[in-house]
Amino acid sequence: MCLAVPGRVVGVEERRDTVMAEVDFGGVRKDVCLQYLPDVGIGDYVIVHVGFAIQRLDERSALETLAEFERLGLLEEEFGDGFAAAAREAGEQP
Amino acid sequence: MIHGPGCPVCVTPLEIIDKALEIAARPDVIFCSFGDMLRVPGSEKDLFRIKSEGGDVRVVYSPLDTLTLARENPDREVVFFGIGFETTAPANAMTVYQARRLGVRNFSLLVSHVLVPPAIAAIMESPSCRVQAFLGAGHVCSVMGTAEYPPLAQRYRVPIVVTGFEPLDILEGIRRAVIQLEAGCHEVENAYRRAVPAEGNPAAQAMLREVFTVTDRAWRGIGVIPRSGWRLAPAFAEFDAEERFAVQDIRTAESTVCRSGEVLQGLIKPHECAAFGRECTPRTPLGATMVSSEGACAAYHRYRRLELTHA
């Protein structure tokens, strides 16, 4: 949960008076609350933590970070099934 | 290099875990959490065990998901385990704010938020402190900005370098700290400008000021640090899970075997604990620092165990 992952905004809409975005994280798409970065638009890159965009990021930095996270297997850890991940760790051989 | 108390799972005290377990075991409750908390041991059980005994424990990606769950289950109580530093707090603040705005009365938050600057002060005030410089957590500053740090750097004459989280970021943070130490400086530097404007995120800060109020908070292994956390402000007290489920009076002492507190303070390295790699492993953790993949003990176990045990 400590990760904050950069992603690209691919859609923006208001839902119950809250600005929400669809954000693409190197192929995985998630609903993200955009309420704290109201000026962000489609095509912008943002840093997302637990479903909230907390800062903007330039495209080059975002793509570098995403590639690094992919290489380290962190995207699966962040967006995969939380129960499965915890169970996998519980079974890790000592 | 010392792992500080920088992982929110690791610094969450046993007592709040026991409160979570008590609430999660109730038949009327859907208990939601980030996945990292499932295996953190309380006094006797963890959330995995509560689920295996019939408790409705769910993992969510975003705390906002819990409001959807609450609306879909109007006859159940939906509780979210709100832990974390300043990075995570805006998400939980928004969720409580929305719960009030949308009238979602069957939602509540079990709050255990902690703050970085008071922890830096507490570490520097400790008589056994040997810390010479700090890498400031970048995403905490993405939200809060950097204004809280110059007074700390001046008072304790210690360099603070706001640093990102990737390997090169860490190396750059260390490099800048070493340059300052060699020059005898103690400034705040921002080595993570691409994600940290000096002012942070003003919209998030405004929401935090509205929903939370500063409070004393216990840290695992360190004890109570004055004004080092957030709790819900009086205007949002109706969403406080501790009050709603009357668990304020649960008191739990920390384990006597696990030395994670000393690890968190940088007083010992993980392998200097007698339980490390023996009764305490990632599969059978005694303390939170062995549970979370970001915990110091788990990291040592994963990357340095063979080197240490065969040395």
Short mmCIF file of all heavy atoms in Angstrom, two decimals, chain B residues 103-147:
data_model
loop_
_atom_site.label_atom_id
_atom_site.label_comp_id
_atom_site.label_asym_id
_atom_site.label_seq_id
_atom_site.Cartn_x
_atom_site.Cartn_y
_atom_site.Cartn_z
N GLY B 103 -24.51 11.06 3.17
CA GLY B 103 -25.36 10.46 4.19
C GLY B 103 -25.19 8.95 4.31
O GLY B 103 -26.16 8.23 4.54
N VAL B 104 -23.95 8.47 4.17
CA VAL B 104 -23.70 7.03 4.32
C VAL B 104 -23.40 6.75 5.78
O VAL B 104 -22.26 6.76 6.23
CB VAL B 104 -22.51 6.57 3.42
CG1 VAL B 104 -22.37 5.06 3.47
CG2 VAL B 104 -22.71 7.03 1.99
N ARG B 105 -24.45 6.50 6.55
CA ARG B 105 -24.32 6.42 8.01
C ARG B 105 -23.76 5.09 8.48
O ARG B 105 -23.34 4.97 9.63
CB ARG B 105 -25.68 6.67 8.69
CG ARG B 105 -26.34 7.95 8.27
CD ARG B 105 -25.86 9.13 9.13
NE ARG B 105 -26.29 10.39 8.51
CZ ARG B 105 -25.54 11.47 8.39
NH1 ARG B 105 -24.31 11.46 8.86
NH2 ARG B 105 -25.98 12.55 7.83
N ASN B 106 -23.81 4.06 7.64
CA ASN B 106 -23.31 2.74 8.08
C ASN B 106 -21.83 2.56 7.74
O ASN B 106 -21.32 1.45 7.68
CB ASN B 106 -24.14 1.61 7.47
CG ASN B 106 -24.09 1.60 5.94
OD1 ASN B 106 -23.99 2.65 5.32
ND2 ASN B 106 -24.16 0.42 5.35
N PHE B 107 -21.13 3.68 7.52
CA PHE B 107 -19.68 3.65 7.29
C PHE B 107 -18.97 4.25 8.49
O PHE B 107 -19.45 5.21 9.09
CB PHE B 107 -19.32 4.46 6.04
CG PHE B 107 -17.84 4.75 5.93
CD1 PHE B 107 -16.96 3.80 5.43
CD2 PHE B 107 -17.32 5.96 6.39
CE1 PHE B 107 -15.59 4.06 5.37
CE2 PHE B 107 -15.96 6.23 6.33
CZ PHE B 107 -15.09 5.27 5.82
N SER B 108 -17.83 3.67 8.87
CA SER B 108 -16.99 4.32 9.88
C SER B 108 -15.53 3.98 9.60
O SER B 108 -15.21 3.07 8.83
CB SER B 108 -17.38 3.88 11.30
OG SER B 108 -17.27 2.49 11.44
N LEU B 109 -14.64 4.78 10.23
CA LEU B 109 -13.19 4.69 9.99
C LEU B 109 -12.49 4.39 11.31
O LEU B 109 -12.70 5.09 12.30
CB LEU B 109 -12.70 6.03 9.41
CG LEU B 109 -11.27 6.11 8.91
CD1 LEU B 109 -11.07 5.27 7.65
CD2 LEU B 109 -10.89 7.56 8.61
N LEU B 110 -11.67 3.34 11.30
CA LEU B 110 -10.79 3.08 12.44
C LEU B 110 -9.47 3.79 12.14
O LEU B 110 -8.71 3.36 11.28
CB LEU B 110 -10.59 1.57 12.62
CG LEU B 110 -9.69 1.14 13.78
CD1 LEU B 110 -10.26 1.60 15.12
CD2 LEU B 110 -9.50 -0.38 13.79
N VAL B 111 -9.22 4.90 12.83
CA VAL B 111 -8.14 5.81 12.44
C VAL B 111 -6.87 5.56 13.23
O VAL B 111 -6.90 5.51 14.47
CB VAL B 111 -8.55 7.29 12.65
CG1 VAL B 111 -7.52 8.21 12.01
CG2 VAL B 111 -9.93 7.55 12.10
N SER B 112 -5.76 5.40 12.52
CA SER B 112 -4.45 5.33 13.18
C SER B 112 -3.42 6.04 12.32
O SER B 112 -2.40 5.47 11.96
CB SER B 112 -4.07 3.86 13.42
OG SER B 112 -2.88 3.79 14.19
N HIS B 113 -3.71 7.30 11.99
CA HIS B 113 -2.80 8.05 11.13
C HIS B 113 -1.63 8.62 11.92
O HIS B 113 -1.78 9.03 13.07
CB HIS B 113 -3.54 9.18 10.43
CG HIS B 113 -4.22 8.73 9.18
ND1 HIS B 113 -3.53 8.14 8.15
CD2 HIS B 113 -5.51 8.73 8.82
CE1 HIS B 113 -4.38 7.82 7.21
NE2 HIS B 113 -5.59 8.15 7.58
N VAL B 114 -0.47 8.63 11.26
CA VAL B 114 0.76 9.13 11.90
C VAL B 114 1.44 10.17 11.01
O VAL B 114 1.20 10.21 9.80
CB VAL B 114 1.73 7.96 12.19
CG1 VAL B 114 1.28 7.19 13.41
CG2 VAL B 114 1.88 7.04 11.00
N LEU B 115 2.26 10.99 11.63
CA LEU B 115 2.89 12.13 10.97
C LEU B 115 4.41 12.03 11.05
O LEU B 115 4.97 11.66 12.08
CB LEU B 115 2.44 13.43 11.64
CG LEU B 115 0.93 13.65 11.67
CD1 LEU B 115 0.56 14.84 12.54
CD2 LEU B 115 0.41 13.84 10.26
N VAL B 116 5.08 12.39 9.96
CA VAL B 116 6.54 12.25 9.90
C VAL B 116 7.31 13.27 10.76
O VAL B 116 8.18 12.86 11.53
CB VAL B 116 7.02 12.30 8.43
CG1 VAL B 116 8.54 12.45 8.37
CG2 VAL B 116 6.60 11.04 7.69
N PRO B 117 7.03 14.58 10.66
CA PRO B 117 7.90 15.52 11.39
C PRO B 117 7.99 15.26 12.91
O PRO B 117 9.11 15.31 13.45
CB PRO B 117 7.28 16.89 11.07
CG PRO B 117 6.62 16.68 9.74
CD PRO B 117 6.07 15.28 9.79
N PRO B 118 6.89 14.96 13.61
CA PRO B 118 7.04 14.69 15.05
C PRO B 118 7.89 13.43 15.31
O PRO B 118 8.56 13.35 16.35
CB PRO B 118 5.60 14.48 15.54
CG PRO B 118 4.74 15.07 14.48
CD PRO B 118 5.48 14.92 13.20
N ALA B 119 7.86 12.47 14.39
CA ALA B 119 8.67 11.26 14.57
C ALA B 119 10.15 11.58 14.41
O ALA B 119 11.00 11.05 15.15
CB ALA B 119 8.25 10.17 13.58
N ILE B 120 10.48 12.46 13.46
CA ILE B 120 11.88 12.88 13.30
C ILE B 120 12.35 13.56 14.59
O ILE B 120 13.43 13.27 15.11
CB ILE B 120 12.02 13.84 12.09
CG1 ILE B 120 11.85 13.04 10.80
CG2 ILE B 120 13.37 14.57 12.12
CD1 ILE B 120 11.99 13.88 9.53
N ALA B 121 11.49 14.43 15.14
CA ALA B 121 11.86 15.11 16.39
C ALA B 121 12.05 14.11 17.51
O ALA B 121 13.02 14.19 18.28
CB ALA B 121 10.78 16.14 16.75
N ALA B 122 11.15 13.11 17.61
CA ALA B 122 11.25 12.13 18.69
C ALA B 122 12.53 11.31 18.57
O ALA B 122 13.20 11.02 19.57
CB ALA B 122 10.02 11.20 18.66
N ILE B 123 12.89 10.94 17.35
CA ILE B 123 14.13 10.17 17.15
C ILE B 123 15.34 11.01 17.53
O ILE B 123 16.26 10.55 18.22
CB ILE B 123 14.22 9.70 15.68
CG1 ILE B 123 13.22 8.58 15.42
CG2 ILE B 123 15.64 9.22 15.35
CD1 ILE B 123 13.03 8.23 13.96
N MET B 124 15.34 12.28 17.15
CA MET B 124 16.48 13.14 17.47
C MET B 124 16.58 13.44 18.96
O MET B 124 17.66 13.69 19.48
CB MET B 124 16.39 14.46 16.68
CG MET B 124 16.58 14.33 15.18
SD MET B 124 18.03 13.37 14.66
CE MET B 124 19.37 14.38 15.25
N GLU B 125 15.44 13.42 19.65
CA GLU B 125 15.43 13.70 21.10
C GLU B 125 15.90 12.49 21.92
O GLU B 125 16.23 12.62 23.09
CB GLU B 125 14.02 14.09 21.58
CG GLU B 125 13.45 15.36 20.96
CD GLU B 125 13.98 16.63 21.60
OE1 GLU B 125 14.63 16.52 22.65
OE2 GLU B 125 13.74 17.73 21.05
N SER B 126 15.89 11.30 21.30
CA SER B 126 16.25 10.09 22.03
C SER B 126 17.74 10.14 22.42
O SER B 126 18.59 10.45 21.59
CB SER B 126 15.97 8.86 21.16
OG SER B 126 16.68 7.75 21.66
N PRO B 127 18.07 9.82 23.68
CA PRO B 127 19.47 9.88 24.12
C PRO B 127 20.38 8.93 23.34
O PRO B 127 21.58 9.19 23.21
CB PRO B 127 19.39 9.44 25.59
CG PRO B 127 17.96 9.50 25.97
CD PRO B 127 17.15 9.41 24.72
N SER B 128 19.81 7.84 22.81
CA SER B 128 20.63 6.87 22.09
C SER B 128 20.71 7.17 20.60
O SER B 128 21.25 6.37 19.83
CB SER B 128 20.08 5.46 22.32
OG SER B 128 18.69 5.45 22.11
N CYS B 129 20.18 8.30 20.19
CA CYS B 129 20.13 8.63 18.75
C CYS B 129 21.52 8.79 18.15
O CYS B 129 22.36 9.52 18.67
CB CYS B 129 19.33 9.91 18.55
SG CYS B 129 19.41 10.51 16.85
N ARG B 130 21.75 8.11 17.01
CA ARG B 130 23.02 8.26 16.31
C ARG B 130 22.80 8.74 14.87
O ARG B 130 23.70 8.67 14.04
CB ARG B 130 23.78 6.93 16.31
CG ARG B 130 24.34 6.57 17.69
CD ARG B 130 24.69 5.09 17.80
NE ARG B 130 25.31 4.56 16.61
CZ ARG B 130 25.16 3.29 16.18
NH1 ARG B 130 24.40 2.47 16.85
NH2 ARG B 130 25.76 2.88 15.10
N VAL B 131 21.57 9.19 14.59
CA VAL B 131 21.23 9.57 13.21
C VAL B 131 21.92 10.88 12.85
O VAL B 131 21.88 11.86 13.59
CB VAL B 131 19.71 9.71 13.06
CG1 VAL B 131 19.36 10.25 11.68
CG2 VAL B 131 19.03 8.38 13.30
N GLN B 132 22.58 10.89 11.66
CA GLN B 132 23.31 12.08 11.21
C GLN B 132 22.59 12.83 10.10
O GLN B 132 22.89 14.00 9.84
CB GLN B 132 24.70 11.68 10.73
CG GLN B 132 25.58 11.11 11.84
CD GLN B 132 26.85 10.51 11.26
OE1 GLN B 132 26.78 9.63 10.42
NE2 GLN B 132 27.98 11.00 11.71
N ALA B 133 21.68 12.13 9.39
CA ALA B 133 20.96 12.78 8.29
C ALA B 133 19.70 11.98 8.01
O ALA B 133 19.63 10.79 8.30
CB ALA B 133 21.83 12.84 7.04
N PHE B 134 18.71 12.66 7.42
CA PHE B 134 17.46 11.99 7.08
C PHE B 134 17.20 12.07 5.59
O PHE B 134 17.44 13.12 4.97
CB PHE B 134 16.27 12.66 7.78
CG PHE B 134 16.18 12.36 9.25
CD1 PHE B 134 16.79 13.20 10.17
CD2 PHE B 134 15.48 11.26 9.71
CE1 PHE B 134 16.71 12.94 11.53
CE2 PHE B 134 15.39 10.99 11.07
CZ PHE B 134 16.01 11.83 11.98
N LEU B 135 16.70 10.94 5.02
CA LEU B 135 16.08 11.01 3.70
C LEU B 135 14.58 11.22 3.96
O LEU B 135 13.92 10.35 4.53
CB LEU B 135 16.30 9.70 2.92
CG LEU B 135 17.76 9.29 2.66
CD1 LEU B 135 17.79 8.06 1.75
CD2 LEU B 135 18.56 10.43 2.05
N GLY B 136 14.07 12.38 3.59
CA GLY B 136 12.65 12.66 3.81
C GLY B 136 11.81 11.94 2.77
O GLY B 136 12.12 11.94 1.59
N ALA B 137 10.72 11.32 3.24
CA ALA B 137 9.87 10.51 2.34
C ALA B 137 9.20 11.40 1.31
O ALA B 137 8.42 12.29 1.64
CB ALA B 137 8.83 9.75 3.15
N GLY B 138 9.50 11.15 0.03
CA GLY B 138 9.05 12.02 -1.04
C GLY B 138 7.55 12.21 -1.14
O GLY B 138 7.07 13.34 -1.27
N HIS B 139 6.80 11.11 -1.06
CA HIS B 139 5.36 11.25 -1.31
C HIS B 139 4.63 11.88 -0.13
O HIS B 139 3.55 12.44 -0.30
CB HIS B 139 4.76 9.90 -1.71
CG HIS B 139 5.27 9.42 -3.03
ND1 HIS B 139 5.55 8.12 -3.31
CD2 HIS B 139 5.61 10.11 -4.15
CE1 HIS B 139 6.02 8.02 -4.54
NE2 HIS B 139 6.07 9.20 -5.07
N VAL B 140 5.21 11.79 1.06
CA VAL B 140 4.67 12.56 2.18
C VAL B 140 4.73 14.05 1.82
O VAL B 140 3.77 14.80 2.05
CB VAL B 140 5.47 12.27 3.47
CG1 VAL B 140 5.17 13.30 4.55
CG2 VAL B 140 5.14 10.87 3.99
N CYS B 141 5.86 14.47 1.22
CA CYS B 141 6.04 15.88 0.84
C CYS B 141 5.25 16.23 -0.41
O CYS B 141 4.91 17.41 -0.61
CB CYS B 141 7.52 16.19 0.68
SG CYS B 141 8.45 16.00 2.21
N SER B 142 4.94 15.25 -1.27
CA SER B 142 4.06 15.52 -2.41
C SER B 142 2.73 16.08 -1.91
O SER B 142 2.13 16.94 -2.54
CB SER B 142 3.78 14.25 -3.21
OG SER B 142 4.95 13.77 -3.83
N VAL B 143 2.29 15.59 -0.75
CA VAL B 143 1.04 16.07 -0.16
C VAL B 143 1.28 17.31 0.71
O VAL B 143 0.62 18.33 0.55
CB VAL B 143 0.38 14.96 0.70
CG1 VAL B 143 -0.81 15.52 1.49
CG2 VAL B 143 -0.06 13.81 -0.19
N MET B 144 2.27 17.24 1.62
CA MET B 144 2.40 18.26 2.66
C MET B 144 3.35 19.40 2.28
O MET B 144 3.41 20.41 2.98
CB MET B 144 2.89 17.62 3.96
CG MET B 144 1.96 16.57 4.53
SD MET B 144 0.28 17.18 4.84
CE MET B 144 0.57 18.27 6.25
N GLY B 145 4.14 19.21 1.21
CA GLY B 145 5.16 20.21 0.91
C GLY B 145 6.35 20.05 1.85
O GLY B 145 6.45 19.08 2.61
N THR B 146 7.26 21.03 1.81
CA THR B 146 8.51 20.88 2.56
C THR B 146 8.65 21.86 3.72
O THR B 146 9.64 21.85 4.43
CB THR B 146 9.72 21.08 1.61
OG1 THR B 146 9.59 22.34 0.96
CG2 THR B 146 9.78 19.99 0.56
N ALA B 147 7.64 22.69 3.96
CA ALA B 147 7.78 23.79 4.94
C ALA B 147 7.99 23.32 6.38
O ALA B 147 8.55 24.06 7.19
CB ALA B 147 6.54 24.68 4.89
#
